[in-house]
Amino acid sequence: MNTPISALLERKSPLVHSVASTVSVTEAVAEMNRHRVGCVVVLDGDRLVGIFTERDILQRVVGAGLDPGQTKVAAVMTRNVITVPPDTTVQQAMTLFTEKRCRHLPVLVAGRLSGLISIGDVSRWMVDVHRTESEHLKNYIAGGFPQ
Protein backbone atom coordinates (compact mmCIF):
# COMPACT_ATOMS: atom_id res chain seq x y z
CA MET A 1 0.00 0.00 0.00
CA ASN A 2 3.07 2.22 0.26
CA THR A 3 3.68 1.67 -3.43
CA PRO A 4 3.83 4.98 -5.30
CA ILE A 5 1.28 5.47 -8.04
CA SER A 6 4.17 6.04 -10.44
CA ALA A 7 4.57 2.23 -10.34
CA LEU A 8 0.96 1.86 -11.50
CA LEU A 9 1.47 4.42 -14.25
CA GLU A 10 4.43 2.39 -15.56
CA ARG A 11 2.07 -0.55 -16.12
CA LYS A 12 -0.33 1.35 -18.35
CA SER A 13 -0.22 3.40 -21.50
CA PRO A 14 1.22 6.87 -20.95
CA LEU A 15 -1.46 8.29 -23.23
CA VAL A 16 -3.93 10.61 -21.48
CA HIS A 17 -6.95 11.55 -23.57
CA SER A 18 -7.67 15.25 -23.61
CA VAL A 19 -9.82 17.92 -25.21
CA ALA A 20 -9.64 21.69 -25.39
CA SER A 21 -12.05 23.67 -23.24
CA THR A 22 -13.55 25.16 -26.42
CA VAL A 23 -14.95 21.92 -27.86
CA SER A 24 -18.61 21.05 -27.53
CA VAL A 25 -19.88 18.42 -25.14
CA THR A 26 -20.85 16.33 -28.19
CA GLU A 27 -17.25 16.41 -29.44
CA ALA A 28 -15.87 15.54 -26.00
CA VAL A 29 -18.29 12.62 -25.63
CA ALA A 30 -17.29 11.37 -29.10
CA GLU A 31 -13.65 11.44 -27.97
CA MET A 32 -14.51 9.55 -24.78
CA ASN A 33 -16.48 6.95 -26.75
CA ARG A 34 -13.73 6.59 -29.37
CA HIS A 35 -11.22 5.69 -26.69
CA ARG A 36 -13.68 3.90 -24.41
CA VAL A 37 -12.79 6.04 -21.38
CA GLY A 38 -14.88 7.60 -18.61
CA CYS A 39 -13.21 11.00 -18.69
CA VAL A 40 -10.97 13.34 -20.60
CA VAL A 41 -8.71 15.96 -19.13
CA VAL A 42 -9.33 19.49 -20.36
CA LEU A 43 -6.26 21.38 -21.49
CA ASP A 44 -5.61 24.91 -22.61
CA GLY A 45 -2.36 24.39 -24.45
CA ASP A 46 -0.43 22.13 -22.09
CA ARG A 47 -2.06 23.53 -18.93
CA LEU A 48 -4.62 21.43 -17.07
CA VAL A 49 -7.77 23.51 -16.59
CA GLY A 50 -10.34 20.83 -15.80
CA ILE A 51 -11.60 17.31 -16.18
CA PHE A 52 -14.76 16.21 -17.97
CA THR A 53 -16.34 12.98 -16.74
CA GLU A 54 -19.40 10.82 -17.25
CA ARG A 55 -20.76 12.28 -14.03
CA ASP A 56 -20.42 15.81 -15.47
CA ILE A 57 -22.41 14.71 -18.52
CA LEU A 58 -25.23 13.27 -16.42
CA GLN A 59 -25.46 16.02 -13.83
CA ARG A 60 -24.44 19.19 -15.62
CA VAL A 61 -25.60 18.51 -19.17
CA VAL A 62 -28.43 15.96 -19.24
CA GLY A 63 -29.70 16.83 -15.76
CA ALA A 64 -29.67 20.54 -16.57
CA GLY A 65 -31.36 20.01 -19.95
CA LEU A 66 -28.51 21.60 -21.92
CA ASP A 67 -27.95 21.04 -25.64
CA PRO A 68 -24.69 19.05 -25.85
CA GLY A 69 -24.03 20.30 -29.37
CA GLN A 70 -24.18 23.93 -28.28
CA THR A 71 -22.63 23.62 -24.81
CA LYS A 72 -18.86 24.05 -24.50
CA VAL A 73 -16.93 21.74 -22.21
CA ALA A 74 -15.63 24.81 -20.35
CA ALA A 75 -19.16 25.50 -19.10
CA VAL A 76 -19.73 22.06 -17.56
CA MET A 77 -16.32 20.57 -16.72
CA THR A 78 -15.03 20.08 -13.20
CA ARG A 79 -12.69 23.01 -12.65
CA ASN A 80 -11.05 22.48 -9.28
CA VAL A 81 -9.36 19.23 -10.19
CA ILE A 82 -7.73 17.22 -7.44
CA THR A 83 -4.25 16.35 -8.67
CA VAL A 84 -1.44 14.31 -7.18
CA PRO A 85 2.33 13.98 -7.62
CA PRO A 86 3.75 10.62 -8.79
CA ASP A 87 5.10 9.78 -5.33
CA THR A 88 1.56 9.65 -3.91
CA THR A 89 1.04 6.18 -2.44
CA VAL A 90 -1.70 3.81 -3.48
CA GLN A 91 -3.17 4.15 0.01
CA GLN A 92 -3.25 7.94 -0.29
CA ALA A 93 -4.92 7.69 -3.71
CA MET A 94 -7.52 5.27 -2.32
CA THR A 95 -8.24 7.72 0.49
CA LEU A 96 -8.71 10.56 -2.00
CA PHE A 97 -11.03 8.46 -4.17
CA THR A 98 -13.14 7.65 -1.13
CA GLU A 99 -13.18 11.03 0.62
CA LYS A 100 -13.48 13.23 -2.47
CA ARG A 101 -15.84 10.85 -4.31
CA CYS A 102 -13.84 11.01 -7.50
CA ARG A 103 -12.72 8.32 -9.91
CA HIS A 104 -9.76 9.94 -11.66
CA LEU A 105 -6.64 11.74 -10.42
CA PRO A 106 -4.41 13.59 -12.87
CA VAL A 107 -0.74 13.17 -11.98
CA LEU A 108 1.37 16.31 -12.24
CA VAL A 109 5.14 16.71 -12.32
CA ALA A 110 6.37 20.29 -11.98
CA GLY A 111 2.88 21.52 -12.81
CA ARG A 112 2.65 19.49 -16.02
CA LEU A 113 0.35 16.55 -16.70
CA SER A 114 2.31 13.29 -16.72
CA GLY A 115 -0.45 10.72 -16.35
CA LEU A 116 -3.89 9.86 -15.08
CA ILE A 117 -4.66 7.31 -12.40
CA SER A 118 -8.15 5.89 -12.04
CA ILE A 119 -9.94 3.97 -9.36
CA GLY A 120 -9.93 1.06 -11.83
CA ASP A 121 -6.12 1.19 -12.05
CA VAL A 122 -5.90 0.97 -8.27
CA SER A 123 -8.45 -1.88 -8.15
CA ARG A 124 -6.51 -3.88 -10.77
CA TRP A 125 -3.27 -3.29 -8.87
CA MET A 126 -4.89 -4.46 -5.61
CA VAL A 127 -6.21 -7.63 -7.28
CA ASP A 128 -2.73 -8.38 -8.67
CA VAL A 129 -1.09 -7.81 -5.28
CA HIS A 130 -3.60 -10.08 -3.52
CA ARG A 131 -3.29 -12.76 -6.20
CA THR A 132 0.52 -12.75 -5.88
CA GLU A 133 0.35 -12.84 -2.10
CA SER A 134 -2.12 -15.73 -2.24
CA GLU A 135 0.16 -17.70 -4.56
CA HIS A 136 3.14 -17.12 -2.26
CA LEU A 137 1.14 -18.32 0.75
CA LYS A 138 -0.10 -21.41 -1.13
CA ASN A 139 3.47 -22.26 -2.13
CA TYR A 140 4.69 -21.72 1.41
CA ILE A 141 1.99 -23.95 2.90
CA ALA A 142 2.61 -26.64 0.28
CA GLY A 143 6.31 -26.55 1.04
CA GLY A 144 7.21 -24.93 -2.24
CA PHE A 145 9.83 -22.63 -0.74
CA PRO A 146 13.23 -23.95 0.30
CA GLN A 147 14.03 -23.77 4.00
Side-chain angles (χ1 to χ4, degrees):
M1 298 284 239
N2 288 328
T3 302
I5 59 171
S6 58
L8 280 67
L9 289 173
E10 290 173 5
R11 297 171 45 165
K12 63 185 277 188
S13 168
L15 184 62
V16 177
H17 303 289
S18 65
V19 297
S21 61
T22 56
V23 302
S24 71
V25 168
T26 299
E27 292 169 299
V29 169
E31 184 73 5
M32 292 165 68
N33 288 338
R34 182 175 19 267
H35 298 290
R36 303 183 69 189
V37 294
C39 80
V40 287
V41 294
V42 183
L43 302 175
D44 276 345
D46 63 351
R47 190 173 65 90
L48 178 69
V49 294
I51 191 165
F52 185 62
T53 69
E54 295 163 322
R55 190 176 292 167
D56 294 327
I57 297 164
L58 289 174
Q59 293 178 348
R60 297 181 181 156
V61 179
V62 175
L66 299 178
D67 178 354
Q70 298 300 313
T71 304
K72 300 296 182 198
V73 167
V76 291
M77 68 185 180
T78 299
R79 290 184 179 276
N80 297 321
V81 183
I82 299 165
T83 63
V84 294
D87 61 349
T88 301
T89 66
V90 170
Q91 180 63 50
Q92 290 169 323
M94 289 170 49
T95 300
L96 283 171
F97 288 137
T98 302
E99 290 179 357
K100 302 299 183 181
R101 296 180 46 99
C102 63
R103 296 175 177 268
H104 305 90
L105 294 170
V107 180
L108 301 183
V109 174
R112 298 184 91 106
L113 184 67
S114 73
L116 182 73
I117 199 82
S118 72
I119 198 167
D121 297 327
V122 170
S123 295
R124 278 186 290 282
W125 181 83
M126 293 291 294
V127 167
D128 290 346
V129 165
H130 289 224
R131 183 179 296 124
T132 300
E133 185 177 272
S134 173
E135 288 302 316
H136 284 292
L137 289 171
K138 287 178 191 175
N139 286 335
Y140 177 76
I141 290 169
F145 290 112
Q147 300 292 331

